[in-house]
Amino acid sequence: MKKKYNFKKQIKKTINIPITIYKKNSNQSFVQGTIDYKNLQLLRQFISFEGKILPRYLTGLTAKEQRKIANAIKTARVAGLLPFINQ
């Protein structure tokens, strides 16, 4: 018997995760905020000059935070808040 798949769109829940970023070799945080596609000031720190999303070893985020940042950047790009390519 074949399984029937439910093709209904699932609504994405917005999850506000508080984030604190630390500079290397320092205990003081320099950015605080929530990971959201509307928080452009926070998202621009995780995009390179060319417009690429920076990897974890450069940002120092956990895997969970990095996934949330990447999804927020992609959502902001589709919404037109961030450019796909910096020129």
Side-chain angles (χ1 to χ4, degrees):
M1 201 178 228
K2 291 185 179 180
K3 291 183 179 179
K4 292 185 179 180
Y5 293 101
N6 189 0
F7 290 107
K8 292 181 181 177
K9 286 186 178 181
Q10 295 179 350
I11 299 172
K12 289 185 180 180
K13 296 179 181 177
T14 56
I15 300 172
N16 291 332
I17 298 175
I19 183 170
T20 304
I21 301 169
Y22 297 93
K23 289 185 178 179
K24 290 186 177 181
N25 301 327
S26 175
N27 291 333
Q28 294 180 348
S29 63
F30 66 98
V31 171
Q32 290 181 344
T34 57
I35 300 174
D36 192 20
Y37 73 95
K38 294 177 274 189
N39 192 352
L40 299 180
Q41 183 181 7
L42 178 70
L43 296 181
R44 284 197 175 112
Q45 296 177 356
F46 300 104
I47 298 176
S48 69
F49 180 73
E50 296 87 18
K52 297 179 180 179
I53 300 172
L54 294 175
R56 274 185 64 201
Y57 69 90
L58 291 178
T59 60
L61 297 175
T62 63
K64 187 175 183 180
E65 291 171 342
Q66 181 70 21
R67 284 193 301 271
K68 298 294 180 188
I69 285 287
N71 286 334
I73 289 172
K74 291 173 187 177
T75 305
R77 285 176 175 168
V78 171
L81 301 174
L82 286 176
F84 282 94
I85 300 171
N86 289 337
Q87 294 179 350

